[in-house]
């Protein structure tokens, strides 16, 4: 099932298909990891925890957070329910407390971001679903893939 | 601990040292915090005033495999001139993932607020610390700083367990010498309930020697032991933020023991960049306490915070303090706080 789900974005990208079973791909933000990561699904609570530095583990690897900077407002407000300023201040606080961890590294180029994630089993990031390629794995969030109507990380949507 | 202007040169030299090429593998960052406050009071003894708050310089440095250093130095106006206050100097060595040995001067890991916000006004949700967490030089009732050696854990396991065990110089000591042979012991542990909520408990004990200055300035007349115990609850949701802490402080000898209750509860509701909030503080000590003056003090705070950016915040509050000893004081306070 996961293999099928992983193939769907590629199929949509390759053939421009949107069948009755596939939700329109624009507006969804896909959470992606390396193909060498064992992680397949993530909850919004786990995403929040990762991006606030509450945990440093992602599938048995030390997490490396990344962000697609042009969409950080959309991702943080919808997926985490927090403003980017809150996320940034949280990381200032973590540094101030000596809590460790590194804040998300920003990318403005999707290709560079996907390349960075693909090379690291501990990396995680978010990109527009319609810009994902086959070099990374798209995670289901709360059990749903971005091409399903129940998927919660959509621009302008409330989770 | 207060130092003279000589200390300012030392800090400046340290700051400049961070600007030169670091040693191989070293990563040093410098951050600062500052705030300006305006206050109006109905107390005739308090003029309406603009106040320069704490000008706080923070250094952190990764020194190589497992080693980290951080320091926090505050410049503040006190007694007619600016003084330098070395608030934290900590050397960390990671002994395992998430677990470090920590040596140096640190904020005593009692409760949540004291080790969460330190001296950065930008980070704390209200203009001032809760009454129970006021700094020692502001008449605070707790040992806010401790010089010592400890072990700390952060983000351990699925429950993101956090713990501190700290052995240090006790109340009345200096960063270079303890004033008695006993060492203070602080133990703190907290665990996540879920991604937005955390609960914890902390305990502290130390021997206090006769002659030490109490928070109200009087000299302690006899040796006694102070012990502190209390729980913490923190919630940081998408719209709701809440903190509640309670500490019971026992000061006692073999012959008698008195107890002081200190607590605060904070509730904030976020709507975009705006957070409206309220906070209730209370400190109540018993008659005949060996260390605290006999008082019952309640503070009520209602305010709003505008998160202008990650690095700047505006806060406005109405504060009412009701004290058995000092009567009732009402204040309007505004603050702009930044990090740079």
């Amino acid at each position: 099932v996961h293999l099928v789900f992983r193939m769907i974005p590629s199929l949509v990208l390759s053939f421009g298909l949107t069948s009755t079973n596939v939700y329109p791909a624009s507006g969804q933000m896909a959470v992606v990891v390396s193909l060498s990561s064992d992680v397949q699904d993530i909850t919004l609570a786990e995403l929040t925890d990762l991006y606030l530095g509450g945990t440093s583990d992602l599938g048995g690897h030390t997490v490396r957070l990344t962000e697609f900077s042009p969409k950080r407002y959309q991702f943080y407000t919808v997926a985490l329910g927090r403003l980017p300023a809150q996320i940034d201040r949280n990381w200032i606080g973590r540094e101030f407390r000596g809590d460790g961890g590194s804040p998300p590294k920003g990318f403005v180029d999707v290709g560079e971001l996907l390349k960075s994630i693909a090379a690291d089993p501990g990396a995680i990031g978010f990109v527009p679903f319609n810009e994902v390629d086959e070099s990374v794995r798209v995670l289901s969030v709360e059990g749903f893939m971005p091409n399903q109507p129940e998927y919660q990380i959509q621009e302008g949507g409330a989770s | 601990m207060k130092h003279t202007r000589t200390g300012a040169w030392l800090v400046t030299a340290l700051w400049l040292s961070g600007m030169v090429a670091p040693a191989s593998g070293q990563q040093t960052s410098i951050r600062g915090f500052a705030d300006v406050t305006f206050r109006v009071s109905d107390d005739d003894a308090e003029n309406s005033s603009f106040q320069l708050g704490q000008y706080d310089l923070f250094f952190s440095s990764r020194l190589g495999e497992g080693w980290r250093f951080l320091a926090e130095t505050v410049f503040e106006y006190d007694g007619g001139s600016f003084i330098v206050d070395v608030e934290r100097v900590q050397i960390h060595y990671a002994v395992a993932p998430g677990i470090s040995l920590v040596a140096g001067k640190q904020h005593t890991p009692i409760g949540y607020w004291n080790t969460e916000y330190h001296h950065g006004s930008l980070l704390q949700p209200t203009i001032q610390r809760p009454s129970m967490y006021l700094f020692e030089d502001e008449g605070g009732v707790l040992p806010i700083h401790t010089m010592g050696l400890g072990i700390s854990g952060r983000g351990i396991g699925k429950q993101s367990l956090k713990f501190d065990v700290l052995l240090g110089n006790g109340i009345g000591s200096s960063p270079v010498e303890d004033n008695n042979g006993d060492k203070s012991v602080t133990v703190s542990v907290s665990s996540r309930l879920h991604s937005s909520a955390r609960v914890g408990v902390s305990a502290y004990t130390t021997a206090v020697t006769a002659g030490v200055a109490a928070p109200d300035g009087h000299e302690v007349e006899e040796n006694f032991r102070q012990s502190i115990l209390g729980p913490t609850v923190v919630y940081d949701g998408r719209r709701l933020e809440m903190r509640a802490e309670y500490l019971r402080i026992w000061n006692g000898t073999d012959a008698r023991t008195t107890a002081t209750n200190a607590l605060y509860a904070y509730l904030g509701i976020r709507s975009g960049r705006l957070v409206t909030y309220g906070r209730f503080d209370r400190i109540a000590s018993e008659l005949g306490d060996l260390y605290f003056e006999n008082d019952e003090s309640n503070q009520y705070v209602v305010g709003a915070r505008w998160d202008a950016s990650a690095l700047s915040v505006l806060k406005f509050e109405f504060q009412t303090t009701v004290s058995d000893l000092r009567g009732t004081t009402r204040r309007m306070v505004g603050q702009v706080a930044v990090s740079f």
Side-chain angles (χ1 to χ4, degrees), chain B residues 182-201:
Chain B
D182 291 314
K183 293 289 162 280
S184 68
V185 178
T186 313
V187 178
S188 173
V189 61
S190 70
S191 175
R192 185 175 52 192
L193 287 180
H194 63 79
S195 63
S196 299
R198 176 171 283 277
V199 294
V201 63

Side-chain angles (χ1 to χ4, degrees), chain A residues 124-137:
Chain A
I124 188 170
F126 54 87
V127 291
F129 182 50
N130 56 11
E131 298 194 46
V132 176
D133 64 25
E134 64 279 2
S135 68
V136 295
R137 174 182 302 133

Side-chain angles (χ1 to χ4, degrees), chain A residues 96-97, chain B residues 72 88 90 106-120 124 129-130 132-136 142-146 162 166 186 232 245 247 264:
Chain A
F96 196 44
R97 293 188 293 274
Chain B
E72 186 179 15
R88 287 190 289 161
Q90 299 173 207
Q106 44 201 292
H107 280 136
T108 315
I110 298 175
Y112 174 80
W113 195 293
N114 197 40
T115 53
E116 183 71 11
Y117 305 119
H118 301 286
H119 293 259
Q124 63 184 22
R129 292 182 143 221
M132 63 191 273
Y133 282 121
L134 288 177
F135 294 115
E136 296 96 331
L142 295 173
I144 296 295
H145 299 86
T146 295
K162 185 175 174 181
L166 175 63
T186 313
T232 293
E245 299 192 58
L247 292 173
Y264 81 90

Side-chain angles (χ1 to χ4, degrees), chain B residues 59-209:
Chain B
F59 304 81
S60 69
S61 186
R62 292 173 193 258
L63 305 174
E65 193 64 36
W67 290 89
R68 279 190 301 136
F69 169 82
L70 68 84
E72 186 179 15
T73 305
V74 169
F75 299 79
E76 58 190 341
Y77 190 80
D78 185 39
S81 64
F82 280 93
I83 53 116
V84 178
D85 210 339
V86 177
E87 304 289 357
R88 287 190 289 161
V89 174
Q90 299 173 207
I91 298 168
H92 294 241
Y93 179 69
V95 293
I99 300 176
S100 298
L101 293 173
V102 185
K105 184 179 181 184
Q106 44 201 292
H107 280 136
T108 315
I110 298 175
Y112 174 80
W113 195 293
N114 197 40
T115 53
E116 183 71 11
Y117 305 119
H118 301 286
H119 293 259
S121 298
L122 172 90
L123 298 173
Q124 63 184 22
T126 56
I127 290 176
Q128 290 168 318
R129 292 182 143 221
S131 305
M132 63 191 273
Y133 282 121
L134 288 177
F135 294 115
E136 296 96 331
D137 54 6
E138 296 172 335
V141 297
L142 295 173
I144 296 295
H145 299 86
T146 295
M147 173 69 202
L149 173 67
I151 184 167
S152 71
R154 298 289 182 270
I156 298 167
K158 285 193 176 292
Q159 297 307 311
S160 190
L161 189 74
K162 185 175 174 181
F163 72 84
D164 289 279
V165 178
L166 175 63
L167 188 69
N169 296 342
I171 291 172
S173 62
S174 78
V176 295
E177 187 175 26
D178 203 344
N179 63 340
N180 60 40
D182 291 314
K183 293 289 162 280
S184 68
V185 178
T186 313
V187 178
S188 173
V189 61
S190 70
S191 175
R192 185 175 52 192
L193 287 180
H194 63 79
S195 63
S196 299
R198 176 171 283 277
V199 294
V201 63
S202 52
Y204 173 91
T205 186
T206 190
V208 182
T209 308

Side-chain angles (χ1 to χ4, degrees), chain B:
Chain B
M1 188 53 53
K2 306 293 169 55
H3 296 267
T4 65
R5 288 176 186 173
T6 309
W9 288 106
L10 177 64
V11 171
T12 305
L14 279 170
W15 190 4
L16 290 172
S17 71
M19 297 176 177
V20 301
S24 176
Q26 183 184 359
Q27 291 176 290
T28 299
S29 66
I30 301 169
R31 184 170 285 285
F33 295 87
D35 64 84
V36 175
T37 301
F38 179 73
R39 183 191 68 202
V40 179
S41 168
D42 70 352
D43 185 342
D44 292 339
E46 291 183 9
N47 295 324
S48 61
S49 300
F50 290 99
Q51 296 178 305
L52 188 60
Q54 300 188 75
Y55 173 35
D56 184 1
L57 285 181
F58 172 73
F59 304 81
S60 69
S61 186
R62 292 173 193 258
L63 305 174
E65 193 64 36
W67 290 89
R68 279 190 301 136
F69 169 82
L70 68 84
E72 186 179 15
T73 305
V74 169
F75 299 79
E76 58 190 341
Y77 190 80
D78 185 39
S81 64
F82 280 93
I83 53 116
V84 178
D85 210 339
V86 177
E87 304 289 357
R88 287 190 289 161
V89 174
Q90 299 173 207
I91 298 168
H92 294 241
Y93 179 69
V95 293
I99 300 176
S100 298
L101 293 173
V102 185
K105 184 179 181 184
Q106 44 201 292
H107 280 136
T108 315
I110 298 175
Y112 174 80
W113 195 293
N114 197 40
T115 53
E116 183 71 11
Y117 305 119
H118 301 286
H119 293 259
S121 298
L122 172 90
L123 298 173
Q124 63 184 22
T126 56
I127 290 176
Q128 290 168 318
R129 292 182 143 221
S131 305
M132 63 191 273
Y133 282 121
L134 288 177
F135 294 115
E136 296 96 331
D137 54 6
E138 296 172 335
V141 297
L142 295 173
I144 296 295
H145 299 86
T146 295
M147 173 69 202
L149 173 67
I151 184 167
S152 71
R154 298 289 182 270
I156 298 167
K158 285 193 176 292
Q159 297 307 311
S160 190
L161 189 74
K162 185 175 174 181
F163 72 84
D164 289 279
V165 178
L166 175 63
L167 188 69
N169 296 342
I171 291 172
S173 62
S174 78
V176 295
E177 187 175 26
D178 203 344
N179 63 340
N180 60 40
D182 291 314
K183 293 289 162 280
S184 68
V185 178
T186 313
V187 178
S188 173
V189 61
S190 70
S191 175
R192 185 175 52 192
L193 287 180
H194 63 79
S195 63
S196 299
R198 176 171 283 277
V199 294
V201 63
S202 52
Y204 173 91
T205 186
T206 190
V208 182
T209 308
V212 164
D216 66 348
H218 84 269
E219 283 193 3
V220 171
E221 294 175 356
E222 56 183 311
N223 297 345
F224 69 92
R225 174 157 294 277
Q226 180 174 93
S227 299
I228 303 171
L229 178 67
T232 293
V233 180
V234 175
Y235 179 83
D236 267 314
R238 294 178 174 225
R239 290 191 174 275
L240 196 66
E241 50 190 50
M242 189 270 286
R243 287 105 179 83
E245 299 192 58
Y246 168 74
L247 292 173
R248 190 163 173 85
I249 308 166
W250 293 273
N251 294 321
T253 62
D254 291 339
R256 63 183 172 126
T257 298
T258 54
T260 294
N261 292 314
L263 63 89
Y264 81 90
Y266 163 87
L267 181 68
I269 299 171
R270 176 176 291 276
S271 177
R273 293 178 184 277
L274 180 69
V275 180
T276 50
Y277 58 81
R279 199 185 73 204
F280 170 68
D281 304 351
R282 175 178 171 80
I283 298 175
S285 59
E286 283 186 281
L287 185 65
D289 193 284
L290 294 159
Y291 190 57
F292 301 127
E293 59 186 354
N294 177 224
D295 190 17
E296 185 175 312
S297 172
N298 297 319
Q299 186 177 50
Y300 308 87
V301 177
V302 177
R305 184 173 82 243
W306 177 259
D307 288 325
S309 74
L311 301 176
S312 56
V313 65
L314 300 167
K315 301 173 196 171
F316 183 82
E317 291 179 359
F318 292 99
Q319 304 170 349
T320 301
T321 306
V322 182
S323 160
D324 283 353
L325 291 177
R326 296 173 185 81
T328 300
T329 305
R330 296 178 183 83
R331 296 184 183 91
M332 274 194 310
V333 189
Q335 182 185 69
V336 56
V338 298
S339 176
F340 55 89

